[in-house]
Amino acid sequence: MPDVDTLSVTFAALADPTRRAVLARLRQGEATVTQLAEPFDMSLPAVSRHLKVLERAGLVSKGRDAQWRPCRLDAAPLREVDEWVKGYRAYFEDRYDRLAAQLAERDTDHDTEHTEES
């Protein structure tokens, strides 16, 4: 089971829509802070603060290529989130399966009632 503290840091980082948008952009490939800031109405320092939160959570890393410091997505913490969510996914799938069975039973009963009335 994943470390709850790691999950807390990851979920806190994902709680902000700007940070989620940055991660979505980084799914497409590396980008500089300036490139990441383009779609947002905020200063470069504000975007940098969001990136620091993502870096602390292990979701983003910065490389070094001469003067260029590309940011990269690191999805490893998201695997931990996925692992945590799997238990809930199984819970809901079981509930959906039971609901489907009840609806199928109801439909069968309903069809039987109509056949007997004919």
Side-chain angles (χ1 to χ4, degrees):
M1 179 164 206
D3 182 12
V4 175
D5 291 333
T6 302
L7 284 176
S8 295
V9 172
T10 303
F11 279 125
L14 295 173
D16 185 276
T18 299
R19 292 193 286 268
R20 291 192 306 271
V22 167
L23 291 177
R25 166 54 186 88
L26 290 175
R27 272 195 325 241
Q28 300 169 18
E30 296 179 351
T32 64
V33 175
T34 304
Q35 290 169 327
L36 292 171
E38 285 173 3
F40 304 107
D41 185 24
M42 63 178 65
S43 66
L44 285 177
V47 172
S48 291
R49 284 191 293 276
H50 283 292
L51 284 168
K52 284 190 190 317
V53 172
L54 292 169
E55 282 182 273
R56 275 195 300 272
L59 292 162
V60 168
S61 62
K62 287 185 181 173
R64 177 162 249 134
D65 184 11
Q67 298 299 320
W68 194 56
R69 301 245 355 203
C71 297
R72 296 180 185 97
L73 173 66
D74 183 354
L78 296 176
R79 282 189 210 103
E80 291 184 28
V81 170
D82 183 54
E83 199 60 39
W84 183 81
V85 170
K86 275 183 186 175
Y88 293 96
R89 189 177 305 125
Y91 169 79
F92 284 113
E93 286 172 358
D94 177 59
R95 308 251 322 182
Y96 292 138
D97 290 345
R98 285 191 279 153
L99 175 61
Q102 287 177 346
L103 291 173
E105 183 179 320
R106 187 193 73 176
D107 288 346
T108 301
D109 291 346
H110 182 66
D111 290 344
T112 303
E113 288 174 10
H114 282 264
T115 304
E116 291 174 358
E117 291 175 4
S118 299

